[in-house]
Amino acid sequence: MIAVIDYGAGNLRSVANAIARLGYQPRITSAARDLLKAQAIILPGVGAAGNTMENLRNLGLVDLLKKLIADNRPFFGVCIGLQVLFTGTEEGGWHNCLGIIPGRVKKLPDGLKVPHMGWNQVRQRVSHPLFEGIPDGADFYFVHSYYGEPEDNSLVVGETDYGITMGSVIARDNLVATQFHPEKSGEHGLKMYDNFIRRALATRTP
Amino acid sequence: MLTKRIIPCLDVKDGRVVKGTSFVQLRDAGDPVALASFYYQQGADELVFLDISATPEGRDTLVEAVERISEQVFMPLTVGGGLRTTADMRRLLKAGADKVSINTAAVLTPELIQEGAEKFGSQCIVVAIDAKRLDTSPEPKWEVYIHSGQQPTGIDALLWARQAVQKGAGEILLTSIDADGHRAGYDIELTRAVSEAVTVPVIASGGAGELEDLYQALVTGKADAVLAASIFHYGTYSIPETKAYLAKKGLPVRIDR
């Protein structure tokens, strides 16, 4: 079962539709028992990281997510789902986040239109299973005003330029996260979810 | 580099696309789901649906259409027309829309922008502005119109654009009433003035006739995206043709799908 975490916000339906389109059965859920037995977990998101953290706390999911990721459960964070993995965010004053990836979430630099909204290229810094069948420099759909900057730059497997160069794909073991929205990024986006899920199902039996 | 977005706009009434389309490829040119899929296949960067239904029943059918579209089309969807409350917004976002566009309601109750931004995030809230050039003014000025461009408000378009962003709009969809429907080019001066006045992306709308019009809106008008209806719907230009033209002139556009 592929769990799509429902924390009361975010574009759950689009993510679930993308997973269903690929022939898998997504379960939109916030129940611990579902997450515990999920073969892969997707944390989607729009809005602000601070609110998302608050929602995750209210649902009692913070410690569970930390544990599941520490145990190497396949996990995909999307947009705000990437940002909450960091130590904390500067959005709306400092808010502590999950602290799974050491580093901070910072505001995009002044001088460019914010939000960074639209299709932009992802440069593949390393060969990663997530990129299988996706050309280097392919466009993905972004919409965000903040970006995550990991202390360990080697976690950045894909990067994107918008005034600065930012990590747009982050990976560590079975944890991956994208600042863009694969579910809104056409066939390349669907391919990326498929790469993630196929790998997850291969590493874990139901 | 962030690419310039090419956005077809579909007018929907009672769940059907109106303002006739002439796609030979489609069996039912009025089906919003078929049209959305067509534009997705063509490589459009985003779609805007404008609901012109007059009845609540008509709007319900749009919500159903958005649900079906988001099952098949994996690109950003903006839906607008007749939204009055954050409950209206929630219904469409839940159905699968990524952004909602508000126009008249935003002018009449500007708090709606703020409420929407707080509830769903600024990136969801598009403020659509219909602007008409003031002939009487010595320097270029534009007035905001509401109720589908029928009613003047006395509000300056640049001022309103800035206020809308201050209240939380994540994007401005800017239509020139003077240029709309004439296929003689966008109002470049208006587009540039608004684009320079705000920090969020601006979509230029109204007046596309030639591909050069789109280029001018993006370059001279400094728009981040261009919206067009008839040139795409009547097949005057296809999306790939449009992008090839802009790419050849040196603009960053998304060519692969």
Side-chain angles (χ1 to χ4, degrees):
Chain A
M1 181 254 292
I2 316 293
V4 179
I5 300 181
D6 178 6
Y7 53 88
N11 53 343
L12 302 171
R13 192 183 190 106
S14 300
V15 174
N17 284 341
I19 305 307
R21 169 66 163 251
L22 293 166
Y24 307 104
Q25 285 186 330
R27 179 174 297 174
I28 295 177
T29 180
S30 56
R33 62 178 186 281
D34 286 335
L35 299 181
L36 279 166
K37 65 181 182 204
Q39 292 158 290
I41 299 171
I42 300 176
L43 179 63
V46 292
N51 292 343
T52 301
M53 276 307 297
E54 200 183 314
N55 290 332
L56 292 176
R57 265 185 222 113
N58 291 341
L59 288 164
L61 293 180
V62 168
D63 290 335
L64 178 63
L65 289 180
K66 284 184 185 173
K67 182 180 184 308
L68 289 170
I69 291 170
D71 290 347
N72 218 12
R73 185 73 56 96
F75 184 95
F76 198 139
V78 181
C79 190
I80 297 301
L82 171 145
Q83 295 182 6
V84 295
L85 297 171
F86 282 81
T87 310
T89 178
E90 294 173 0
E91 185 171 9
W94 180 260
H95 291 274
N96 285 327
C97 292
L98 292 170
I100 289 163
I101 307 248
R104 36 205 308 139
V105 177
K106 302 156 81 166
K107 193 165 194 345
L108 285 166
D110 289 336
L112 289 164
K113 293 290 179 86
V114 173
H116 170 218
M117 188 186 281
W119 300 75
N120 203 339
Q121 298 86 54
V122 172
R123 242 183 349 264
Q124 301 174 8
R125 289 182 69 195
V126 294
S127 157
H128 190 279
L130 205 59
F131 294 135
E132 198 189 303
I134 299 170
D136 190 11
D139 291 290
F140 289 86
Y141 186 78
F142 288 80
V143 50
H144 64 118
S145 304
Y146 288 76
Y147 70 101
E149 194 175 70
E151 283 168 18
D152 179 359
N153 196 41
S154 73
L155 301 183
V156 174
V157 297
E159 62 188 12
T160 296
D161 298 327
Y162 191 65
I164 40 129
T165 297
M166 70 183 111
S168 50
V169 185
I170 284 169
R172 190 180 72 196
D173 306 320
N174 283 339
L175 167 70
V176 295
T178 61
Q179 182 55 67
F180 51 83
H181 291 271
E183 68 281 2
K184 291 289 155 186
S185 296
E187 301 300 317
H188 292 322
L190 291 176
K191 178 72 178 140
M192 189 166 275
Y193 277 140
D194 198 37
N195 289 340
F196 166 70
I197 294 170
R198 272 189 300 115
R199 189 161 167 243
L201 298 184
T203 50
R204 279 186 71 88
T205 45
Chain B
M1 188 188 263
L2 183 62
T3 57
K4 299 290 187 182
R5 285 172 284 154
I6 312 300
I7 309 176
C9 177
L10 302 167
D11 284 355
V12 181
K13 190 178 184 197
D14 302 327
R16 305 275 301 162
V17 177
V18 294
K19 257 195 201 169
T21 49
S22 60
F23 291 129
V24 285
Q25 299 94 326
L26 296 180
R27 208 177 298 161
D28 179 2
D31 177 13
V33 183
L35 274 166
S37 298
F38 174 79
Y39 280 123
Y40 174 63
Q41 298 298 335
Q42 280 227 322
D45 295 312
E46 199 167 318
L47 287 176
V48 170
F49 290 90
L50 200 58
D51 189 13
I52 55 171
S53 302
T55 62
E57 295 76 28
R59 295 189 198 290
D60 290 345
T61 56
L62 177 74
V63 174
E64 288 159 25
V66 170
E67 282 176 3
R68 282 185 296 136
I69 290 163
S70 75
E71 283 167 12
Q72 296 182 28
V73 162
F74 299 95
M75 68 196 290
L77 305 173
T78 300
V79 184
L83 282 90
R84 293 282 177 270
T85 64
T86 54
D88 294 341
M89 295 178 179
R90 181 182 300 277
R91 209 152 75 102
L92 284 163
L93 294 171
K94 248 190 116 180
D98 298 282
K99 303 184 237 179
V100 287
S101 162
I102 47 175
N103 188 332
T104 302
V107 174
L108 298 179
T109 46
E111 312 81 69
L112 185 61
I113 304 172
Q114 207 168 334
E115 284 169 26
E118 277 167 12
K119 283 205 162 85
F120 313 115
S122 279
Q123 80 290 334
C124 288
I125 310 299
V126 181
V127 169
I129 300 176
D130 293 341
K132 192 169 167 36
R133 194 177 277 261
L134 280 176
D135 299 327
T136 49
S137 167
E139 72 236 50
K141 267 190 174 309
W142 296 266
E143 182 179 1
V144 175
Y145 276 60
I146 54 174
H147 293 300
S148 308
Q150 297 301 306
Q151 189 182 320
T153 62
I155 300 169
D156 177 70
L158 295 189
L159 189 72
W160 172 232
R162 276 194 213 101
Q163 283 175 349
V165 171
Q166 229 166 34
K167 289 188 184 302
E171 191 169 40
I172 300 289
L173 169 50
L174 177 68
T175 303
S176 158
I177 295 176
D178 306 291
D180 199 25
H182 291 290
R183 298 204 197 186
Y186 296 85
D187 185 335
I188 300 297
E189 216 177 354
L190 166 67
T191 306
R192 183 175 187 131
V194 172
S195 194
E196 287 178 344
V198 299
T199 53
V200 302
V202 172
I203 306 173
S205 158
E210 305 290 331
L211 295 181
E212 181 64 17
D213 298 336
L214 278 66
Y215 177 79
Q216 287 303 331
L218 293 167
V219 174
T220 316
K222 298 190 169 181
D224 301 279
V226 280
L227 180 141
S230 50
I231 60 163
F232 296 138
H233 300 334
Y234 295 120
T236 319
Y237 301 103
S238 70
I239 302 287
E241 215 177 330
T242 303
K243 290 195 167 181
Y245 178 90
L246 297 174
K248 206 174 156 202
K249 297 196 75 165
L251 281 187
V253 288
R254 180 179 68 110
I255 298 287
D256 62 7
R257 180 166 69 75

